[in-house]
Amino acid sequence: MRRSRGLTAALVLSLAGAGTGIGLVLMPQASAITPPVAFTADELPTWQPDGIVFAMAQANGTVFAGGTFSAVRPPEGAAGAEQEAVNFVALDAATGKPTACKLAFTVGDGTATVRTLVVSKDNKTLYAGGYFGAVNGTPVSSLAAIDIASCTPKAAFHPGFPATVRGLAVTDDTLYAAGDFNAVDGQTRERFAAVDAGTGALKPFVANVDEPGRAVEVTPDGKNVLLGGDFFTVNGTNSHALAVVNATTGAVTKTYSNIPSNSVVKDISTDDTGFYTGHEGSGGGVFDGRIGLRLNDFTEKWRDRCLGATQFVLPYEGVLYSSSHAHDCSTELEFPDGKRNFLLAQPTNHEGAAPAPVDGFVRGPGKLGWHPTANDGLGEGIGPRVMAVAEKNDVKYMWVGGEFTLINGKAQQGLTRFASTGDVGAPTTPVASASSVKPGEAQVRWRTSYDADDSKLTYRIYRNGSATPAATVTASSLEWERPQASWTDATVKAGQSYSYRVTATDDAGNTSALSAVASVTIPTSVQSYPNQVRADGANLYWRYDDTVSPYVADSSTGGNYSGVQVNAPALRQTPGAVSGAGTAMGFNGTSQQVHGDRRQTVGNTFTVETWFKTNTTRGGKLIGFGNNTTRNSGSYDKHIYMTNTGRLVFGVYNGSARTVSTGLFETYNDNKWHHVVGTQGPGGITLYVDGQNKGSLNAASNATYAGYWHVGGDNLSGWPTRPTSNFFAGQLDETAVYPTTLTQAQVKNHFDLAKAPTDSVSAVKATEDTYINQGAPSTAYGTSTSLAVRGTSAYETYLRFDLPAAPAGQVLKSASLQIKTSTQAGAGTADTVSVVPVTGTWSGAGTSFNTKPTLGTTPLGSIAGVPDGSAVHSVELDTAALSAVLGGSYSLGLTSTGTDPLWIWSSESTAAEGTPQLVLTFGAK
């Protein structure tokens, strides 16, 4: 079998200067899904039972499903009549339709059920176990052998099992059974037994246990049998839930004492990479996950301690697929307690060296990008219970059965399947952001997308509406880990505005929609405050200039620790904390917060920093670290919070809560912006407010756990002077986390820089526009979605703007006009286009060639030719001329002397970035 190659969550970045257009993305077809996953997550049409599927097996392109049901029906919306199916159905692996094989498993007293199915090595016999007394009227006793070719029970095969059979395994000549029985054919066999695979005669194998057997498997060499269940002893020897015994005699080979007493083994599977167990339990300290064990000595190689009742494990081509309702994989440094994940995949072995043991166990291999969704469904509400891989016509199918009634959000009961080909699901649309803190550089960032069967995606970044990507970036993500990816555009010019959109494409070529437009204006000088935060080494920097939910961009230089908004905090609150530098985020004090998008650990040296403004009297957490996301964290410290009276507290936990707080009468709920910083290092913890040291404490360590940064809320239970609310009501801005201890001088410098005057940028869209056409001298084009410029025969374009006045103490430092060429063929021009003032009066509705206004003769700026293709272009304008007309309405005209027309979008167009606009940069005199 092919060994698992593993995956990494680290970002892999690659840049390309050119690529395909937005409308056509060509990707290699050889690998439709991210290896080593072998199946798509796209469900296929499948007939479905009216009850629960507990058992599956396959042979020769046919899938057998057993359980507790009475009929099967077509997929939702498909034609066809319901068919009787008494606890069993045979289906075509490639079509999902029932075959001609009909078997009814019945019982005279109680409810018949099929609990386990297995096929002989020669694919000629199907063995079925459960609780039933007849198959198609042929008497049996909870175990039957079916001739596959004729679909008839073998009447001569009739071992007597007086109670439910729950697990089966078969070799060339022996059939092993696990269940609730205490005898077979009148001879003592407690919960495990072996019979002749051909005749059903009882064999001398004895492996008696004291509680039910649920799973049985034979090692590939046929020498040993793996036992799983509820038991605590095997042949009188202590071994809980799992044991290895001799395949001939049942003598104990290996015992286990490290499975919690409140957990059982539900399933065992094996291949040449090892054997694997699935567990279920209840109560504190439960083990609900999976164990990988070695075949040479039966010792444990890893243990995945995700919580969520694993029902089945299936190793296939180096990947362990499992069915469960895993809801908390915190111990595996994966998703925290919350959403249920019913189908998972992970490599059977760690790639390279296994991680160091934690609490005596090596963590399981990390989850792979295969996430079909299901639901709890019927019965016990377990969801999926059993899996099988079948092949037909060179296509492989993963079949899943259980209690579910939904698959990928669509109605589908009890049975579903996924193929090795035909990936049709597109990734989710990236959520993008763009920013710049200095000339010549724009940072484009986006929350990585999620794809149900591809963990590695290719992102294309399109600038200014171009159909050709400016860059290509490859990044990895999982449903529960969506790290930020980023690209720096180093070709931008100061004072100009740029827009970006991003798409995500999987290996099959499925491409997401374009992200919303992310725009940025490049400053003409360095923005001192954010530049210093980055220079001082922040590896998380949330500036809250985001325009869409739920993404919060990380503006640090490489951390990519973006955030996720919870319950829609208020975006773009003004004014922000830093002079001339963006917006803040508002929180309601009851449910809103932001948490990190990536789990991480924090050492004993760190700094947290944020700005806040509030008048709350209920306190709340400003920033902190916790082990959960949307639910209250169970481990939480490294936080700054406010008391009801407005005092500030900074604390860590190192066996007890260690805190520093502002003085009794030093309160900060005065509805003004304040700067707060908490540091920890070898010298202990220190709290700073508004650049001043408010106290230190000799606490050089903190609680060690994996978690997420939180802003605006999380648990505060048990902490000194705990406020009424865990959640903060007010505004937050410029939150940063550093892996170092900032000095007092650095803290004071940040505080001072935030108050220093900085450049501000205004993007002013045209309030009215039109053009004139000499060829239609009496026609007005005020409602046209496009505008035109040409010398002969003449087209002229007119634009009106309401210009802002310069902010107090500032002057206009730069100005540019931005226009976007339309999508029609030949929209660009080879001629020079000039921007001139309009000195006459005009209106969109009343202006034609016959009534056109007078134009100035001195150009404010010009552009020497515009290439074809819809894209944004910028014309730098005369700053002195624009300065003289600030604070009023002002009109510009676009003219040319050549014969090649330029076509651009007007303010009436719905094209992204289509409206003409002025970009004005103001700064200190």
Side-chain angles (χ1 to χ4, degrees):
M1 288 190 178
R2 176 170 59 87
R3 303 284 182 177
S4 164
R5 291 184 290 168
L7 290 178
T8 175
L11 293 180
V12 182
L13 302 182
S14 63
L15 300 184
T20 58
I22 296 174
L24 178 63
V25 179
L26 301 177
M27 296 294 294
Q29 294 294 320
S31 176
I33 44 185
T34 303
V37 171
F39 306 95
T40 78
D42 302 315
E43 78 289 349
L44 295 173
T46 309
W47 279 58
Q48 50 194 321
D50 60 356
I52 299 169
V53 173
F54 290 107
M56 271 188 176
Q58 65 83 30
N60 306 318
T62 298
V63 172
F64 308 106
T68 307
F69 49 87
S70 61
V72 291
R73 65 186 188 276
E76 299 296 322
E82 184 176 272
Q83 299 181 14
E84 184 180 59
V86 183
N87 302 314
F88 175 87
V89 64
L91 304 115
D92 186 288
T95 67
K97 298 178 180 180
T99 70
C101 178
K102 310 293 182 183
L103 296 171
F105 288 76
T106 58
V107 69
D109 183 22
T111 301
T113 183
V114 176
R115 289 285 175 157
T116 178
L117 295 168
V118 68
V119 171
S120 62
K121 301 301 181 182
D122 61 7
N123 282 345
K124 294 182 178 180
T125 304
L126 171 68
Y127 298 96
Y131 179 70
F132 45 84
V135 181
N136 283 1
T138 299
V140 293
S141 184
S142 292
L143 181 64
I146 311 299
D147 179 72
I148 292 176
S150 63
C151 186
T152 58
K154 296 182 176 182
F157 184 92
H158 195 278
F161 283 79
T164 302
V165 174
R166 299 184 179 276
L168 292 172
V170 66
T171 66
D172 290 336
D173 58 5
T174 303
L175 179 68
Y176 296 90
D180 300 345
F181 50 86
N182 287 315
V184 178
D185 288 341
Q187 299 187 45
T188 300
R189 293 292 189 274
E190 297 180 351
R191 286 95 182 187
F192 290 96
V195 300
D196 186 279
T199 67
L202 185 65
K203 289 201 167 189
F205 173 90
V206 176
N208 292 333
V209 302
D210 56 337
E211 296 289 345
R214 297 178 181 269
V216 61
E217 185 64 86
V218 184
T219 57
D221 62 9
K223 295 180 179 179
N224 291 279
V225 176
L226 313 169
L227 312 179
D230 302 24
F231 53 83
F232 291 86
T233 63
V234 181
N235 290 338
T237 300
N238 291 334
S239 188
H240 175 52
L242 181 66
V244 184
V245 299
N246 181 273
T248 302
T249 66
V252 176
T253 301
K254 174 75 174 178
T255 61
Y256 297 88
S257 60
N258 61 357
I259 297 173
S261 61
N262 57 356
S263 299
V264 304
V265 169
K266 293 298 295 289
D267 187 49
I268 304 174
S269 292
T270 186
D271 70 356
D272 62 355
T273 67
F275 74 97
Y276 304 90
T277 58
H279 298 253
E280 176 185 272
S282 61
V286 68
F287 174 58
D288 261 356
R290 294 154 295 283
I291 300 177
L293 301 105
R294 302 175 182 89
L295 287 169
N296 59 343
D297 60 3
F298 310 119
T299 58
E300 184 172 316
K301 56 183 180 179
W302 54 258
R303 179 174 296 209
D304 186 315
R305 291 180 288 172
C306 292
L307 296 175
T310 303
Q311 301 299 306
F312 200 83
V313 286
L314 175 57
Y316 182 74
E317 294 189 347
V319 174
L320 184 67
Y321 298 88
S322 59
S323 60
S324 68
H325 55 257
H327 58 86
D328 186 353
C329 283
S330 298
T331 58
E332 303 304 297
L333 304 183
E334 294 171 326
F335 52 87
D337 194 14
K339 174 184 178 290
R340 289 188 166 194
N341 295 271
F342 293 95
L343 296 168
L344 297 174
Q346 62 195 125
T348 51
N349 290 322
H350 288 283
E351 182 179 339
V358 177
D359 300 330
F361 302 107
V362 174
R363 290 192 182 98
K367 307 301 183 299
L368 300 170
W370 187 68
H371 312 296
T373 63
N375 68 338
D376 294 347
L378 310 172
E380 298 177 52
I382 292 292
R385 280 187 170 273
V386 65
M387 313 170 85
V389 174
E391 183 172 351
K392 189 170 184 179
N393 302 328
D394 297 323
V395 178
K396 300 167 185 176
Y397 299 90
M398 169 66 79
W399 280 75
V400 180
E403 300 177 343
F404 52 83
T405 58
L406 294 173
I407 291 293
N408 291 337
K410 303 172 185 176
Q412 178 68 25
Q413 181 173 334
L415 281 170
T416 191
R417 64 198 174 102
F418 309 92
S420 57
T421 61
D423 180 12
V424 298
T428 60
T429 303
V431 182
S433 172
S435 66
S436 178
V437 301
K438 59 184 178 182
E441 179 182 293
Q443 293 79 43
V444 185
R445 307 178 180 89
W446 60 95
R447 189 186 191 204
T448 48
S449 298
Y450 159 62
D451 187 277
D453 45 32
D454 288 279
S455 54
K456 188 175 182 179
L457 299 172
T458 298
Y459 299 88
R460 288 176 169 80
I461 304 98
Y462 298 90
R463 187 174 76 174
N464 288 349
S466 173
T468 300
T472 300
V473 173
T474 305
S476 295
S477 57
L478 297 169
E479 181 184 20
W480 52 83
E481 185 172 78
R482 307 269 296 278
Q484 175 178 283
S486 59
W487 172 69
T488 298
D489 187 349
T491 65
V492 294
K493 296 180 179 180
Q496 296 189 15
S497 183
Y498 297 83
S499 64
Y500 301 90
R501 304 183 81 179
V502 183
T503 62
T505 303
D506 66 17
D507 277 350
N510 301 308
T511 299
S512 73
L514 283 161
S515 71
V517 174
S519 299
V520 60
T521 301
I522 311 304
T524 56
S525 60
V526 173
Q527 294 182 350
S528 300
Y529 182 89
N531 189 63
Q532 193 62 50
V533 170
R534 288 154 52 100
D536 283 341
N539 61 359
L540 180 156
Y541 186 18
W542 296 343
R543 304 198 63 200
Y544 308 117
D545 296 332
D546 310 283
T547 59
V548 294
S549 298
Y551 172 60
V552 176
D554 177 11
S555 295
S556 70
T557 56
N560 282 323
Y561 286 108
S562 53
V564 180
Q565 302 163 27
V566 178
N567 293 321
L571 305 182
R572 303 193 65 79
Q573 303 294 288
T574 56
V578 177
S579 176
T583 60
M585 184 173 285
F587 298 83
N588 62 10
T590 58
S591 63
Q592 295 171 340
Q593 62 161 307
V594 173
H595 67 76
D597 219 0
R598 290 171 57 195
R599 185 188 293 271
Q600 60 180 295
T601 56
V602 179
N604 293 327
T605 300
F606 71 92
T607 297
V608 289
E609 173 182 39
T610 196
W611 288 79
F612 68 93
K613 182 172 72 170
T614 184
N615 60 1
T616 184
T617 58
R618 300 178 70 248
K621 182 176 292 192
L622 280 70
I623 182 172
F625 195 72
N627 69 337
N628 217 311
T629 51
T630 58
R631 299 188 180 187
N632 255 3
S633 293
S635 298
Y636 44 96
D637 75 330
K638 297 177 272 292
H639 48 206
I640 297 172
Y641 58 92
M642 178 174 280
T643 69
N644 288 349
T645 62
R647 297 172 65 195
L648 294 171
V649 181
F650 170 54
V652 297
Y653 186 85
N654 59 7
S656 62
R658 309 298 303 279
T659 62
V660 178
S661 62
T662 57
L664 186 61
F665 301 106
E666 291 184 85
T667 58
Y668 297 91
N669 54 347
D670 55 4
N671 217 30
K672 297 179 181 179
W673 280 111
H674 295 283
H675 180 232
V676 59
V677 175
T679 69
Q680 183 178 42
I685 62 174
T686 302
L687 173 65
Y688 301 92
V689 180
D690 293 342
Q692 301 299 311
N693 186 330
K694 296 299 179 180
S696 299
L697 182 68
N698 184 18
S701 63
N702 58 60
T704 301
Y705 55 93
Y708 309 83
W709 286 108
H710 290 253
V711 165
D714 196 15
N715 206 349
L716 283 169
S717 178
W719 280 78
T721 328
R722 181 189 179 188
T724 300
S725 175
N726 288 340
F727 292 90
F728 175 75
Q731 295 181 356
L732 293 168
D733 200 4
E734 304 290 333
T735 300
V737 178
Y738 306 77
T740 58
T741 302
L742 292 188
T743 65
Q744 182 164 3
Q746 287 175 305
V747 172
K748 181 63 164 57
N749 186 38
H750 289 194
F751 177 70
D752 291 340
L753 287 175
K755 302 305 178 184
T758 61
D759 290 355
S760 60
V761 178
S762 295
V764 183
K765 293 184 179 298
T767 58
E768 190 171 13
D769 50 32
T770 191
Y771 77 101
I772 56 91
N773 178 2
Q774 188 177 14
S778 60
T779 302
Y781 295 92
T783 59
S784 174
T785 59
S786 59
L787 306 168
V789 183
R790 184 173 61 193
T792 307
S793 61
Y795 295 144
E796 291 178 356
T797 284
Y798 312 122
L799 310 170
R800 179 176 288 113
F801 299 91
D802 291 334
L803 300 181
Q810 294 189 337
V811 296
L812 184 65
K813 297 180 67 175
S814 68
S816 62
L817 171 66
Q818 292 197 337
I819 53 176
K820 184 177 184 180
T821 43
S822 71
T823 53
Q824 74 179 65
T829 180
D831 299 330
T832 295
V833 174
S834 297
V835 181
V836 297
V838 177
T839 59
T841 60
W842 64 279
S843 69
T847 298
S848 66
F849 181 81
N850 290 336
T851 61
K852 65 177 183 175
T854 303
L855 301 182
T857 58
T858 303
L860 302 175
S862 63
I863 182 169
V866 176
D868 286 342
S870 182
V872 175
H873 299 277
S874 183
V875 184
E876 295 186 25
L877 302 180
D878 186 301
T879 303
L882 268 293
S883 296
V885 294
L886 290 175
S889 179
Y890 188 63
S891 293
L892 297 175
L894 275 63
T895 67
S896 173
T897 58
T899 59
D900 188 11
L902 169 69
W903 290 93
I904 62 176
W905 293 121
S906 75
S907 58
E908 280 76 24
S909 169
T910 58
E913 319 102 22
T915 300
Q917 65 175 358
L918 290 175
V919 179
L920 309 176
T921 301
F922 298 96
K925 296 179 180 179

